[in-house]
Amino acid sequence: DGGITQSPKYLFRKEGQNVTLSCEQNLNHDAMYWYRQDPGQGLRLIYYSQIVNDFQKGDIAEGYSVSREKKESFPLTVTSAQKNPTAFYLCASSIDGETGELFFGEGSRLTVL
Amino acid sequence: AQSVTQLDSHVSVSEGTPVLLRCNYSSSYSPSLFWYVQHPNKGLQLLLKYTSAATLVKGINGFEAEFKKSETSFHLTKPSAHMSDAAEYFCVVSNSGGGADGLTFGKGTHLIIQP
């Protein structure tokens, strides 16, 4: 079945540590996105990529980094510079970046201890 | 600039009764509008979308929404609620280009279904 796989589903981190969240898709979509979700809030865009080896900052990119070396993969690193990293992180893809129709993974919940 | 307001943070209905989730938007362009649903600890799933075709849009699972430009609204409805409809619902507006990098998400409405 085609879809988006995020891992790990749950992750605990000590303050000062970097952590990388994985996102893989087999939908052959060009565009991929990372969102952050906090309780009672909508989704906020962290980074997005519309093509391999290229990505752009979203609304809340500070303290995060990404790479897009392969079409299928768009990992997100939460660095120690992110002051409030505890959140639910969602990866999504769209067929060409021109539509608002997104396909989402099941999310990764990061807790900083 | 664009924004979206979901007028209710929580809505509670009885099983078998109608559902109404309200959404108002503002946009400088002709918007594209979407409703997404999120079940607990899951990703979001597209319910339906409006992209300047018919103003009454039908989606999955019996949901529909009507685009009313004069009221800047895009309310989500369903004639008869089912227990499986309990979830978080997000109204989303896009700029005229419709690109996903231009999406603005509402804060969500939590739908509770009473047996």
Side-chain angles (χ1 to χ4, degrees):
Chain A
D1 286 337
I4 299 179
T5 301
Q6 290 187 240
S7 64
K9 193 168 180 66
Y10 299 95
L11 186 61
F12 298 89
R13 187 195 96 176
K14 293 181 180 179
E15 283 191 22
Q17 290 181 334
N18 293 355
V19 62
T20 297
L21 308 180
S22 170
C23 178
E24 303 279 332
Q25 56 104 352
N26 60 4
L27 299 168
N28 199 32
H29 285 175
D30 286 325
M32 297 186 73
Y33 309 83
W34 275 105
Y35 287 92
R36 171 180 171 139
Q37 184 177 24
D38 295 285
Q41 303 293 319
L43 274 64
R44 292 182 290 168
L45 183 64
I46 304 172
Y47 269 98
Y48 65 100
S49 168
Q50 294 184 296
I51 195 169
V52 175
N53 292 322
D54 188 37
F55 49 82
Q56 285 77 42
K57 293 181 179 179
D59 300 319
I60 55 164
E62 185 175 352
Y64 300 98
S65 66
V66 294
S67 62
R68 187 86 186 274
E69 297 177 0
K70 299 186 299 181
K71 186 175 184 178
E72 312 81 56
S73 179
F74 191 42
L76 173 74
T77 297
V78 185
T79 75
S80 57
Q82 170 50 237
K83 298 304 179 188
N84 186 22
T86 294
F88 191 52
Y89 292 88
L90 286 160
C91 180
S93 70
S94 65
I95 191 165
D96 58 10
E98 298 300 318
T99 171
E101 185 170 348
L102 298 175
F103 294 79
F104 283 85
E106 295 210 335
S108 293
R109 186 168 299 280
L110 172 64
T111 303
V112 174
L113 303 173
Chain B
Q2 63 191 27
S3 66
V4 60
T5 302
Q6 293 184 240
L7 297 165
D8 306 290
S9 60
H10 292 78
V11 170
S12 180
V13 303
S14 297
E15 189 176 18
T17 65
V19 174
L20 170 64
L21 305 184
R22 299 182 295 165
C23 173
N24 285 96
Y25 70 91
S26 68
S27 175
S28 303
Y29 306 95
S30 297
S32 296
L33 292 156
F34 309 82
W35 276 99
Y36 282 83
V37 61
Q38 183 182 31
H39 289 92
N41 294 310
K42 300 291 186 182
L44 281 69
Q45 179 186 18
L46 181 67
L47 273 180
L48 49 79
K49 62 181 178 181
Y50 166 77
T51 54
S52 75
T55 56
L56 182 61
V57 182
K58 294 188 183 299
I60 62 172
N61 300 334
F63 284 94
E64 62 182 39
E66 186 172 8
F67 173 72
K68 292 187 176 180
K69 186 175 181 179
S70 61
E71 299 177 9
T72 61
S73 70
F74 190 57
H75 301 336
L76 182 70
T77 61
K78 182 174 181 178
S80 177
H82 190 272
M83 294 299 292
S84 61
D85 294 327
E88 193 84 14
Y89 291 80
F90 292 93
C91 182
V92 184
V93 63
S94 177
N95 60 31
S96 61
D101 57 304
L103 296 180
T104 299
F105 284 77
K107 294 189 176 184
T109 297
H110 185 53
L111 178 61
I112 300 162
I113 311 296
Q114 305 281 1

